[in-house]
Amino acid sequence: HFQLPFMKSAATSYKCGPEHLIKSKPEYFLDVTDKDKHKYYTSHRVPLYSPVAFDGMHKAGKLAANCLRHLHDVIEPGITTHDIHAITKEYIERNGGHPSSLGYKGFPGSLCTSNNEVACHGIPRADEVLKQGDIIALDVTCLVDDFYGDTCYTYYV
């Protein structure tokens, strides 16, 4: 058992486990002791993923990032945030994904469009027209083969 540094009670600990994960020696653990590696990999709070899962996450993240690159070319004065939603939905679906924000707890957009003073999770609207000098954060989240890609970029119009 080991104690996490932020825990106040010594009675709270987690069992240690799978040695095969420690033996894989990922490069981000090169400067960490074997004891620390064991603690990191065996905490019940740390999800463990296979190389196949990492490939899936990479594919989903790449689609989300490429969608933002695609949107870079359409962000200009006169476009509505609803237009951006439609372009995003079409792009993600055409490339084998599903816009995961669409329909989530009733959310009507394929992305979040946070314009100017809207801090986050703005809803695309047909009556919200971008003007020269606006800033807009576009938060794209897509689902590809059971993995999510999520990224955001703020554009100057």
Side-chain angles (χ1 to χ4, degrees), residues 99-145:
S100 52
S101 61
L102 186 60
Y104 177 73
K105 295 188 177 185
F107 191 81
S110 58
L111 79 165
C112 297
T113 56
S114 305
N115 193 18
N116 295 324
E117 71 280 349
V118 177
C120 64
H121 303 139
I123 300 171
R125 299 188 336 246
D127 65 343
E128 185 173 40
V129 180
L130 298 185
K131 300 180 296 295
Q132 181 71 40
D134 282 349
I135 58 168
I136 185 162
L138 302 180
D139 189 349
V140 174
T141 307
C142 59
L143 178 65
V144 181
D145 300 332

Side-chain angles (χ1 to χ4, degrees), residues 71-80 84 129-132 157:
L71 292 172
H72 180 271
D73 296 332
V74 300
I75 302 302
E76 59 185 28
I79 193 168
T80 68
I84 298 168
V129 180
L130 298 185
K131 300 180 296 295
Q132 181 71 40
V157 182

